[in-house]
Amino acid sequence: METQKWSIVALCLLGVLGSTTAKVSVSGPVEEENPEFWRAQGAKALQAALNRKLNTNVAKNIMLFLGDGMGITTITAARILKGQMHNQSGEETVMTMDTFPHTGLLKTYSVDFQIPDSSSTATAYLCGVKTNLNTVGVNAAARNGICKTQKGNEVTSILKWAKDAGKSVGIVTTTRVQHATPATTYAHSASRKWYSDADMPASAKKEGCTDIASQLLKNTDIDVIIGGGRKYMTPKGTWDPEYPRDLSSSGKRQDGRHLISDWQKMKVGKVARYVWNRTDFDAVDPDTTDYLMALFEPGDLRFDVERDPTMDPSIAETTEKAIRILSKNPKGFFLLVEGGRIDQGHHASRASMALHETVAFDNAVAKGLELTNEEETLTLVTADHSHAFTFNGYPFRGQSILGKSPLYGKDMLPYTTLMYGNGPGYKVVDNKRPDIRKVDTQSKDYVQLSAVPLDTETHGGEDVAVLARGPMAHLFHGVQEQSYLAHAMAYAGCVGRDLRHCESRPQHTNTKRILVTATDDDRNSAPSLVSSISLVTALLAAVLH
């Protein structure tokens, strides 16, 4: 009873202090005290919703932006951080992904676990089939790590469906390109950990399974490959060009294959560029490049706040290069862009890292929208799963999202606004939490406190958001199985099995798309193009009638 009384007193004090502090430190709340501010804002949002018209075009292009581990709590906290990085209060900030008009929720469980991993979820949203934990591009009849169960249970992804339909395809990631998310676009593996043949047990090799890196070359002809993962592509002992003295960065392959050289040899007659640094990357001309493989690190890329911009481009810059190369195809493209290190920041319980990665990811989303036409490009933003990540306490408006709650615990010690349910941040000694009053919790290296001691923090199991704009974006609604995503994307783009959408389109829609996407050089010949189309249309009309 005494504890409850003091809690009420503390909350009352917070209310008084909060109202005073807000008027002094935050410019926004002054106008927010006027109810007309909120009425006008609500009326504007309502009218925008009323004016919205469904875009039922066929999606020429599909861009899937995947924030690995980007649960809704992460989106909210990153939104505030993004605003605070620009000296704003943060809560009212609008991220690029916030502007997407259509929203739904996806159920993320895998076939065998309540809380999934990145490979089982990727198989769901890319291949349209839910599967077991730790498996890539196979159905649930395959078992984790058992090669013989993989055979005959392979499932293909929307990247392959798009390629088979004549579109250009690409993957951009901040992890190694053999990691779970990008791997699922092209590989089939009973284990997500079989990055190179050195990672495979002898039994799996004997039974005929192959590593993920080798499948990058073999399974699907991918036009743009950007990320990390050099060491899985070269023979054991091969020095890394950037870290020649670091043995952990050297090549790992036991079969002696140099997959980068093999990839280049496969592209005879095409302009295929391989780069591993910023200088060579910047020199790649999208207009004259058919294929690009850019591997900037031996393993995963550096966190964005630790990235050397003279050596490695940002995810927004790699996204731009990919789009400029892929968009030359008149049939369109499919592009997967993964903010993969959001997840890894969370696993280390370094909230600052995870949130800065999310902000960088949102910048990539903005770049993607800038370079494409919403009338013909379906753009999605989603996550594979969330994390055991909480946004708690009663922080004042505008307080640093990486700071401490002003309300102390029962032990009269502070705690951070952001915490983890489990992970390496468990620091209870003799039943006492550490005193963090003098600790800089905003540091990029600060490890948030957690309730349960683990070497690495775990994923969360709640639904994740899917945000959509462009052709058929209204299909992404309500609460769906995560596997629904692949089917809806494919329907919108007329790839894969269900082609009803393009078959039902009127003839004039395709004509309009040809004229709209014509280049400047083509415009001089537009009259003859129109004449040809008119002639074909007239002939078809005569035959049909």
Side-chain angles (χ1 to χ4, degrees), residues 7 10-11 14 392-397 399 404-407 415 417:
S7 297
L11 286 172
L14 280 176
N392 69 130
Y394 292 95
F396 296 127
R397 175 76 179 273
Q399 182 175 320
K404 310 174 186 78
S405 171
L407 184 63
Y415 56 92
T417 300

Side-chain angles (χ1 to χ4, degrees), residues 277-323:
N277 59 69
R278 176 63 177 261
T279 301
D280 291 343
F281 178 78
D282 287 347
V284 173
D285 181 359
D287 292 335
T288 59
T289 300
D290 299 312
Y291 292 91
L292 172 64
M293 178 185 287
L295 304 179
F296 295 108
E297 289 289 334
D300 300 325
L301 303 192
R302 294 181 181 275
F303 284 109
D304 193 65
V305 296
E306 297 177 338
R307 177 175 57 88
D308 180 355
T310 66
M311 287 298 294
D312 302 328
S314 67
I315 186 174
E317 292 170 316
T318 53
T319 297
E320 176 175 5
K321 186 79 76 172
I323 291 172

Side-chain angles (χ1 to χ4, degrees), residues 13 28 46 75 87 229 314 348 350 358 379 408 419 428 437 501:
L13 286 172
L46 175 61
I75 293 175
N87 298 317
S314 67
R350 296 165 72 185
T358 308
T379 305
Y408 283 22
M419 300 177 70
V428 175
R437 282 177 291 186
H501 185 41

Side-chain angles (χ1 to χ4, degrees), residues 398-526:
Q399 182 175 320
S400 170
I401 189 65
L402 298 170
K404 310 174 186 78
S405 171
L407 184 63
Y408 283 22
K410 288 175 62 177
D411 54 5
M412 297 310 295
L413 291 173
Y415 56 92
T416 52
T417 300
L418 301 175
M419 300 177 70
Y420 290 91
N422 57 56
Y426 181 88
K427 295 181 175 65
V428 175
V429 178
D430 295 331
N431 291 323
K432 292 183 180 180
R433 295 188 300 122
D435 186 348
I436 60 172
R437 282 177 291 186
K438 296 182 179 180
V439 175
D440 179 13
T441 61
Q442 299 180 48
S443 165
K444 67 180 179 64
D445 296 315
Y446 179 72
V447 176
Q448 257 73 16
L449 299 181
S450 68
V452 177
L454 290 176
D455 290 334
T456 178
E457 177 267 355
T458 71
H459 296 165
E462 69 270 24
D463 300 348
V464 296
V466 55
L467 313 167
R469 66 190 300 164
M472 306 305 290
H474 55 282
L475 294 179
F476 302 90
H477 71 289
V479 181
Q480 306 286 352
E481 295 287 358
Q482 197 167 33
S483 50
Y484 170 77
L485 209 65
H487 300 285
M489 285 191 291
Y491 180 87
C494 288
V495 299
R497 295 183 178 183
D498 191 344
L499 303 179
R500 287 176 297 164
H501 185 41
C502 51
E503 290 171 350
S504 66
R505 303 304 295 165
Q507 183 70 30
H508 67 81
T509 302
N510 292 331
T511 303
K512 180 180 178 182
R513 287 174 64 227
I514 292 173
L515 293 175
V516 168
T517 58
T519 64
D520 291 336
D521 292 335
D522 292 331
R523 284 173 187 148
N524 292 331
S525 60

Side-chain angles (χ1 to χ4, degrees), residues 29-108:
V30 174
E31 63 180 2
E32 290 175 8
E33 291 175 2
N34 183 348
E36 289 306 316
F37 171 84
W38 300 107
R39 289 168 182 153
Q41 188 181 89
K44 182 179 179 181
L46 175 61
Q47 195 57 50
L50 292 170
N51 293 341
R52 186 180 304 150
K53 291 181 173 56
L54 297 184
N55 180 344
T56 59
N57 294 340
V58 172
K60 175 183 176 183
N61 311 311
I62 300 172
M63 296 192 298
L64 175 58
F65 287 88
L66 190 287
D68 195 321
M70 190 182 69
I72 292 176
T73 303
T74 301
I75 293 175
T76 303
R79 176 190 302 127
I80 296 172
L81 176 65
K82 188 167 188 175
Q84 293 178 346
M85 289 169 66
H86 293 89
N87 298 317
Q88 300 168 356
S89 168
E91 297 84 2
E92 71 289 338
T93 300
V94 178
M95 293 209 293
T96 299
M97 67 179 80
D98 294 338
T99 66
F100 285 42
H102 299 279
T103 307
L105 292 173
L106 303 175
K107 296 187 281 186
T108 64

Side-chain angles (χ1 to χ4, degrees), residues 342-383:
I342 300 170
D343 176 73
Q344 294 173 1
H346 279 315
H347 279 308
S349 294
R350 296 165 72 185
S352 176
M353 286 298 199
L355 299 188
H356 278 92
E357 287 295 302
T358 308
V359 172
F361 175 74
D362 192 60
N363 293 338
V365 175
K367 180 58 68 174
L369 296 184
E370 175 189 324
L371 296 172
T372 55
N373 180 353
E374 187 173 345
E375 287 301 303
E376 63 181 16
T377 304
L378 172 64
T379 305
L380 303 178
V381 177
T382 190

Side-chain angles (χ1 to χ4, degrees), residues 137-139 141-142 147-155 188:
V138 291
N139 63 40
C147 171
K148 62 183 179 182
T149 67
Q150 176 184 314
K151 301 300 176 64
N153 291 316
E154 297 89 350
V155 290
H188 314 286

